[in-house]
Amino acid sequence: MVTWNVGTAEPPPDVDSLLQLDAQPPVDLYVIGLQEVNSNPLRFISDMMVEDSWSHMLMNTMAPRGYVKMTSVRMQGLLLLLFCKQAHVPFIRDIRTTYTRTGIFGYWGNKGGVSVRFSFYGHMLCFLNCHLAAHMNYALQRVDEFEYILDTQDFEEDTPHVLDHKVVFWFGDLNFRIADHGMHFLRSSINSERYNLLWQKDQLLMMKKKEAFLQEFDEGPLCFKPSYKFDRNGDTYDTSGKKRKPAWTDRILWRVKPKTLAPEDDDDSVSTLTDDGHEDYPIQVHQDNYTSNMSYGVSDHKPVLASFKLELRKKCELALVHVSPEDAWSADCNATLSYTVQEDFLSSTWDWIGLYKVNVYIRSIPLLGGEYVLGYFSTNLQSLVGLSNNFQVSLHAFS
């Protein structure tokens, strides 16, 4: 998971190190939440017609490595993207997205939250990317905004609200600051890596002691440099006339429903265990890494990333639909395919089967040969519920 306030900047040349794309074993899911994506009126209208530059860059980066963009949701400068390995595509179902405005009394989308929820092998997960009110004195307003987002976001059906999901990840530019400490103490504590001296005055940690619903969210220790506020294109904290204080504004937290603490067997990881009455299908959530990346300087924020392991038993191991090409396919001949419904689901006359070029993020017709995959899209589940094996489309018909 990544959260990054990009400060209206254009993407950097590459994000390979940020996304740890060479990690072994390969990551199964990527969830990327951005704030302050450029949304001036002309740019926003353009982005509505074609992918914004950040989405375009991320899809170009992920597709050649075998990742599929399952969905995205945008509200002005807030953007949330979900990528997964191709093998998981048929088991990410019931995808829904929504958003909540909190700027200018709920009428403006410069602040608020965007979310995506889905069933992952039968387990309901929700990811909520927020950008909350800025400035030191608005800690209470930030809590109120988050509570409002939780109360108003509605997905309908069996899990209508954010907190109804089995696991919830809450992240973004939450804008909580470090209160009371002066600039000299802040910077000396950071330079000496004695971050623990600042935790007692971190507004989010302080608010968690007062607000019961915040206590349901877990967070790994803040053992990394505060991600705000930097001079652009550098790793020096604000040297402008305003000299804004450093702070951990960019955060990643999670909640399980209901929550019981798991035994502490590893001091380097944080874990929680779900127990919602379905003993056969628990989920364990382990956080393996939580840090900021100092090497990216396009914004006055540094990106913050966390890696998690979700241990779960699959409730479903069979794709809803089996789809496959028949015989050999050629770009200049009619082709046939077959599909079989393997498990009952609510199909629709608006369902369709698409042809996708492997490792390319756009749907494409086979004007050129290459490797392709067929996907059965369910309108009701808003997801691909069946994928064929990869197969070749030749450029010319066989003689």
Side-chain angles (χ1 to χ4, degrees):
M1 294 182 61
V2 174
T3 177
W4 193 2
N5 183 322
V6 299
T8 72
E10 290 300 296
D14 74 78
V15 289
D16 288 14
S17 64
L18 174 62
L19 299 179
Q20 300 177 354
L21 290 173
D22 295 324
Q24 293 296 327
V27 172
D28 294 288
L29 300 176
Y30 280 94
V31 181
I32 301 166
L34 305 178
Q35 306 85 41
E36 293 195 20
V37 175
N38 193 337
S39 59
N40 69 61
L42 288 177
R43 185 61 175 271
F44 191 67
I45 292 171
S46 172
D47 290 346
M48 290 174 65
M49 295 183 286
V50 296
E51 296 284 358
D52 64 273
S53 58
W54 283 90
S55 296
H56 189 82
M57 179 273 294
L58 288 166
M59 290 187 290
N60 273 333
T61 300
M62 304 295 284
R65 293 177 179 261
Y67 290 94
V68 178
K69 192 193 88 168
M70 294 301 295
T71 191
S72 65
V73 56
R74 183 173 179 185
M75 179 185 71
Q76 287 184 217
L78 270 169
L79 176 63
L80 176 59
L81 302 105
L82 167 66
F83 293 89
C84 77
K85 290 170 66 175
Q86 183 174 312
H88 299 307
V89 168
F91 304 99
I92 294 182
R93 305 172 184 170
D94 198 19
I95 299 172
R96 297 289 186 275
T97 62
T98 191
Y99 59 88
T100 302
R101 303 183 184 95
T102 59
I104 312 182
F105 308 105
Y107 291 100
W108 192 242
N110 65 319
K111 295 292 192 295
V114 295
S115 59
V116 57
R117 79 87 186 271
F118 54 91
S119 169
F120 186 60
Y121 289 96
H123 300 271
M124 297 305 296
L125 310 181
C126 183
F127 295 83
L128 173 59
N129 171 26
C130 290
H131 192 187
L132 304 180
H135 305 306
M136 180 71 73
N137 297 328
Y138 289 94
L140 282 173
Q141 182 176 333
R142 289 189 271 276
V143 174
D144 289 343
E145 287 180 351
F146 179 48
E147 196 165 19
Y148 174 74
I149 291 168
L150 293 179
D151 288 342
T152 57
Q153 292 207 344
D154 186 1
F155 299 100
E156 303 177 350
E157 301 173 7
D158 295 333
T159 50
H161 301 111
V162 171
L163 298 185
D164 292 329
H165 294 77
K166 202 164 189 179
V167 182
V168 175
F169 290 90
W170 171 40
F171 56 105
D173 181 359
L174 308 185
N175 254 322
F176 289 100
R177 308 304 171 97
I178 300 172
D180 298 336
H181 290 312
M183 183 68 80
H184 177 74
F185 183 79
L186 273 171
R187 294 198 172 185
S188 64
S189 299
I190 294 168
N191 291 337
S192 61
E193 298 185 358
R194 294 182 296 172
Y195 306 119
N196 59 302
L197 299 179
L198 308 177
W199 293 347
Q200 286 189 336
K201 296 300 181 180
D202 175 81
Q203 290 180 334
L204 179 53
L205 297 179
M206 294 166 66
M207 287 295 171
K208 285 187 70 174
K209 295 177 181 179
K210 301 177 183 178
E211 300 287 347
F213 81 102
L214 290 179
Q215 294 167 17
E216 298 176 1
F217 286 85
D218 290 304
E219 183 180 22
L222 299 167
C223 295
F224 55 90
K225 293 180 72 170
S227 55
Y228 172 85
K229 172 179 174 49
F230 287 86
D231 292 339
R232 288 180 186 255
N233 302 311
D235 56 4
T236 302
Y237 285 108
D238 187 15
T239 59
S240 71
K242 293 183 178 180
K243 287 188 168 56
R244 295 279 173 83
K245 291 182 178 180
W248 288 291
T249 58
D250 309 283
R251 311 286 276 267
I252 300 173
L253 300 92
W254 75 97
R255 173 193 184 269
V256 295
K257 174 189 179 270
K259 181 178 68 175
T260 56
L261 291 178
E264 295 184 6
D265 55 3
D266 185 352
D267 292 337
D268 295 328
S269 65
V270 184
S271 67
T272 50
L273 173 68
T274 63
D275 178 13
D276 59 2
H278 299 286
E279 291 292 342
D280 292 338
Y281 298 102
I283 297 183
Q284 279 196 326
V285 182
H286 304 266
Q287 186 183 68
D288 291 334
N289 185 34
Y290 188 31
T291 188
S292 57
N293 190 314
M294 293 292 116
S295 64
Y296 291 90
V298 300
S299 165
D300 56 353
H301 291 249
K302 300 297 183 181
V304 169
L305 62 148
S307 58
F308 294 88
K309 287 180 182 174
L310 270 63
E311 295 185 14
L312 56 87
R313 183 179 298 178
K314 299 174 182 177
K315 292 186 180 182
C316 52
E317 299 191 61
L318 192 66
L320 295 180
V321 176
H322 177 266
V323 58
S324 62
E326 293 291 321
D327 303 319
W329 280 40
S330 170
D332 55 359
C333 287
N334 291 335
T336 58
L337 60 87
S338 64
Y339 72 93
T340 306
V341 176
Q342 302 187 117
E343 189 175 319
D344 287 340
F345 70 100
L346 185 59
S347 60
S348 165
T349 55
W350 294 102
D351 292 355
W352 47 270
I353 295 175
L355 182 65
Y356 301 85
K357 193 167 179 61
V358 173
N359 295 345
V360 176
Y361 72 80
I362 58 171
R363 289 193 296 271
S364 51
I365 58 176
L367 299 175
L368 297 175
E371 194 173 21
Y372 286 81
V373 63
L374 293 165
Y376 183 106
F377 184 83
S378 165
T379 303
N380 289 321
L381 295 179
Q382 286 295 294
S383 55
L384 288 163
V385 296
L387 281 184
S388 72
N389 294 326
N390 295 356
F391 65 98
Q392 290 291 324
V393 175
S394 64
L395 184 57
H396 300 292
F398 292 100
S399 57

